[in-house]
Amino acid sequence: MPVGSPKHVIFTALLRQEYCLLCCRLQAGVQDSFLTFEVYKDEITMQLIDKACKILGVPADMVLREFGEYFFEFCKRSGYDHMLRTLGGNLYEFIENLDALHSYLSLSYQEMNAPSFRVEKNEDGSMHLHYYSDRRGLCHIVPGIIGAAALDFFNIEISMEIVNQMEEEERTGKKEHIVFLVTQNPVFSYKERNEFSSSSQYLADSEKKIENQLNKEDLEKAKNTIRDRGTSVCPVKKSHWKTIRGIITLGKGKLLRGFDPVYPKSLWVDTKTFCNGLPFHMVFDKELRVKQAGVSIQKIVPGLQTMGICLDRYFSIVHPEVPFTISSIQKFINSQFVFQTRREMMPESWKQRPMLELRGQMIWMESLQCMLYLCSPLLRTLHELEERQMHIADIAPHDVTRDLILLNQQRLAEMELSNQLERKKEELRILSKHLEEEKKKTEALLYAMLPQHVANQLKEGKRVEAGEFKECTILFSDVVTFTNICAQCEPIQIVLMLNSMYLRFDRLTTVHDVYKVETIGDAYMVVGGVPVPVPTHAERVANFALGMIIAAKGVQNPVSGNPIQIRVGIHTGPVLAGVVGEKMPRYCLFGDTVNIASRMESHGVPSKIHLSSSVYQCLKYKNFEMSERGEIEVKGKGKMHTYFLIRNKTATENEIMGRPMKGLDSGHESVQTFQEGRTETIPNCHQPGRVNLTYLSLLEQMNINTTQLNILFCSSFSYSDSAREGPDPSYCNEVCRRPHRCAKQPQKKKSSKNCRFKRQNL
């Protein structure tokens, strides 16, 4: 993928987005998945917003606004597009009906805590949007949602600014009251602009002709009708010409006089029929005295049969949360009102039932100075109907509440099924995640026993052929006087001593990238250049041996209490490697090189590294200090010229041991390791043997085991070649068809006391 190409740019943007999301989630400490029908605390949202602001370096209101725009698109994708489009023909109607939409959605999402909106038109065409919510700090989402809806549904751009922010005292439940000033301008397409500009002269001439033809009285009446109906896309102040164009029927040129309803001289319905036909309605005056009530609501609340009783004695307003006064009701007259019966005023038989809720609209009757409340029982399911000991017959046949209860019963059943499926999906995701973690643990254990590419072949059921390696370096080590230590100690002490020593050695194998072949008792065997051939195999094993001598000083002899002493022998030569056995398969090495390396160790000196001449030839130009031992008699091999490895001239002890370096130059930063909690130095740039702390953290959060990564990257030791890519065919000979036998010379049977390769009886 070329740098700067479209694919590269998209990939980089996606990677940056995923990185930011992951960082926000990790720093906020929240879960990585959310369920659709689960209710989460606002603190989680605020934590994510706070971390996003710090990572992106932007203010919170900008993040919330962008979130509002995204939430609008998310709602459209989730199937609410058609529902949102049908809320109103312009922005004013759209906002005015948002509370009704929230009321409908609360049937399905019963724990939804939605805000409330109230909109007011201004003479200059702008609007004041009142936002009420008891969820503090989320008001900046509103401009994002409303702005996206205005642009998408009505093709207008709006600007929203906060003109007032207070704590609402009139309302009983909502705490935050924000007033936005909404101003907008129509958005014309390029084609519309050209057509409008090219026909401006023609429109000017036509304007004069039509103005002369129109009656001024009709024109004013039409203006008022258009203004009252709000037929514009949004309440924007129109020009005179636009008003004229709006009242002309396209193609016919006839004036639309507007709709004038016809009312009868008297009401042709008697009181009894009205109260039976609208069983849930109430009429009350400015003092909240009940003047009239439907028959069904009288049946449920018998106190309403006493005309003139105060309505607030029997009901409380649930939504909108305003005081029960006529002035508050008039202020929110365009909202849906939800009344709830007061338990203390209900009959004794009702006090154990859930209280009845009524939902409907308020209509102010100016001539009577009374308020008409047309309502229906707010019931979501058949179960709620039964709890209140009501029946479908109690609801008027023309009332859609009948159908809503039955439809919502089916919808709730579908939602419950969907919720169960979502929870099962989440459980499967968690189980899959745990299974992946266990798989990684199993693979890590398998890769500790066998080379990775060999283990992968065995997992796939393939046969692993033996392979010949032209040159590799083998190391053997053992503990001096180990037999005597075993004779004088408890077995558990020996186990603890060996475990402490092998843990140190195992860590060094990761630092210097050598392969641990096996341990038998106190014997430790490693090889460089196998199973992955590398040209620096001798250097790796030599540095590993130097680290072993240093590490052994930290292991205590359980008998004397002094540090233990080890002997180390190294030899370089060809070997044959392959998997042996099926029950417990092992990756073993065969050949005379193994035998000579073992002789170098057994003929070595305590706390010394004994080298054969072939190892000396590999290391003599590699900045290693070595001393000549001379010719010695080697059992089964005769006289051999050997050497001792003293030190690495260019590497410090900390580098050999893979310890973190301190006091480095500028350009490095000090950080804390994950496993050991000590200060480590990680460079800002990418250098060999280094990794950025952020990447390590992300790898750890992605369930990638970073133990070996920390050892490698915190160590400053690096080699010019890499053994991580897999076997290089250029270093390997053709695979042997028949494995060679170990070239050990026949020798007399040894006792178990002197046998180095027999398991110790602990």
Side-chain angles (χ1 to χ4, degrees), residues 508-558:
L508 288 173
T509 60
T510 304
V511 173
H512 299 286
D513 200 9
V514 294
Y515 179 69
K516 175 184 175 181
V517 181
E518 62 180 350
T519 57
I520 301 178
D522 63 323
Y524 195 92
M525 178 183 179
V526 300
V527 61
V530 176
V532 181
V534 289
T536 57
H537 54 84
E539 300 170 51
R540 296 170 184 269
V541 175
N543 286 319
F544 174 79
L546 293 171
M548 292 180 75
I549 299 296
I550 299 171
K553 296 177 182 178
V555 182
Q556 192 177 43
N557 187 326

Side-chain angles (χ1 to χ4, degrees), residues 489-740:
C489 294
E490 295 294 329
I492 188 62
Q493 292 177 294
I494 304 301
V495 171
L496 293 175
M497 180 192 74
L498 291 178
N499 186 58
S500 175
M501 180 178 69
Y502 289 160
L503 285 177
R504 289 169 165 81
F505 292 173
D506 291 346
R507 184 180 184 277
L508 288 173
T509 60
T510 304
V511 173
H512 299 286
D513 200 9
V514 294
Y515 179 69
K516 175 184 175 181
V517 181
E518 62 180 350
T519 57
I520 301 178
D522 63 323
Y524 195 92
M525 178 183 179
V526 300
V527 61
V530 176
V532 181
V534 289
T536 57
H537 54 84
E539 300 170 51
R540 296 170 184 269
V541 175
N543 286 319
F544 174 79
L546 293 171
M548 292 180 75
I549 299 296
I550 299 171
K553 296 177 182 178
V555 182
Q556 192 177 43
N557 187 326
V559 176
S560 64
N562 298 324
I564 63 171
Q565 290 184 311
I566 62 172
R567 285 187 299 261
V568 181
I570 307 175
H571 177 64
T572 297
V575 295
L576 188 77
V579 177
V580 177
E582 292 182 355
K583 187 77 172 179
M584 287 184 63
R586 299 294 299 173
Y587 190 73
C588 298
L589 306 181
F590 302 92
D592 195 47
T593 303
V594 179
N595 189 38
I596 297 176
S598 175
R599 294 289 183 265
M600 290 297 101
E601 176 270 318
S602 60
H603 290 74
V605 178
S607 299
K608 293 282 189 180
I609 302 170
H610 197 197
L611 309 178
S612 67
S613 58
S614 60
V615 181
Y616 174 79
Q617 295 297 325
C618 292
L619 298 178
K620 65 179 179 179
Y621 301 116
K622 301 293 184 179
N623 294 317
F624 286 93
E625 181 180 341
M626 295 173 284
S627 63
E628 185 177 0
R629 184 181 185 183
E631 285 191 352
I632 62 170
E633 184 70 27
V634 177
K635 187 174 182 180
K637 294 296 177 182
K639 292 185 178 181
M640 294 184 65
H641 206 82
T642 60
Y643 303 83
F644 287 124
L645 176 63
I646 308 300
R647 66 185 181 91
N648 187 320
K649 298 178 182 179
T650 58
T652 64
E653 181 177 314
N654 286 338
E655 292 174 332
I656 292 291
M657 298 300 296
R659 297 169 185 159
M661 299 176 63
K662 299 180 180 180
L664 294 180
D665 300 334
S666 60
H668 298 71
E669 55 184 358
S670 182
V671 298
Q672 290 293 115
T673 57
F674 303 103
Q675 284 76 13
E676 302 179 16
R678 62 173 183 270
T679 302
E680 297 196 357
T681 304
I682 295 182
N684 293 328
C685 57
H686 298 285
Q687 298 178 0
R690 304 287 189 166
V691 72
N692 187 277
L693 173 65
T694 305
Y695 297 145
L696 270 179
S697 176
L698 293 177
L699 289 171
E700 188 174 65
Q701 294 297 333
M702 292 175 185
N703 298 319
I704 296 176
N705 188 350
T706 57
T707 304
Q708 292 187 350
L709 292 178
N710 276 326
I711 295 173
L712 285 175
F713 297 136
C714 294
S715 168
S716 63
F717 211 95
S718 62
Y719 295 92
S720 58
D721 56 72
S722 172
R724 299 284 178 188
E725 302 296 330
D728 186 353
S730 62
Y731 289 101
C732 300
N733 282 339
E734 184 179 357
V735 176
C736 297
R737 296 184 179 179
R738 185 172 56 187
H740 296 177

Side-chain angles (χ1 to χ4, degrees), residues 432-464:
S432 177
K433 182 178 179 181
H434 290 166
L435 180 62
E436 188 66 25
E437 292 175 357
E438 295 302 321
K439 180 182 176 183
K440 289 180 180 179
K441 292 178 182 179
T442 305
E443 289 180 347
L445 182 61
L446 181 61
Y447 294 156
M449 300 173 61
L450 294 169
Q452 184 170 344
H453 69 280
V454 173
N456 291 336
Q457 292 183 40
L458 291 177
K459 285 196 301 182
E460 294 171 1
K462 297 179 181 179
R463 181 181 177 184
V464 182

Side-chain angles (χ1 to χ4, degrees), residues 300-302 342-355 389:
I300 298 171
V301 187
R342 294 186 183 273
R343 188 176 295 277
E344 63 272 12
M345 300 301 295
M346 298 302 292
E348 289 295 329
S349 60
W350 262 84
K351 290 192 175 179
Q352 302 302 322
R353 308 179 196 171
M355 292 295 97
Q389 295 185 5

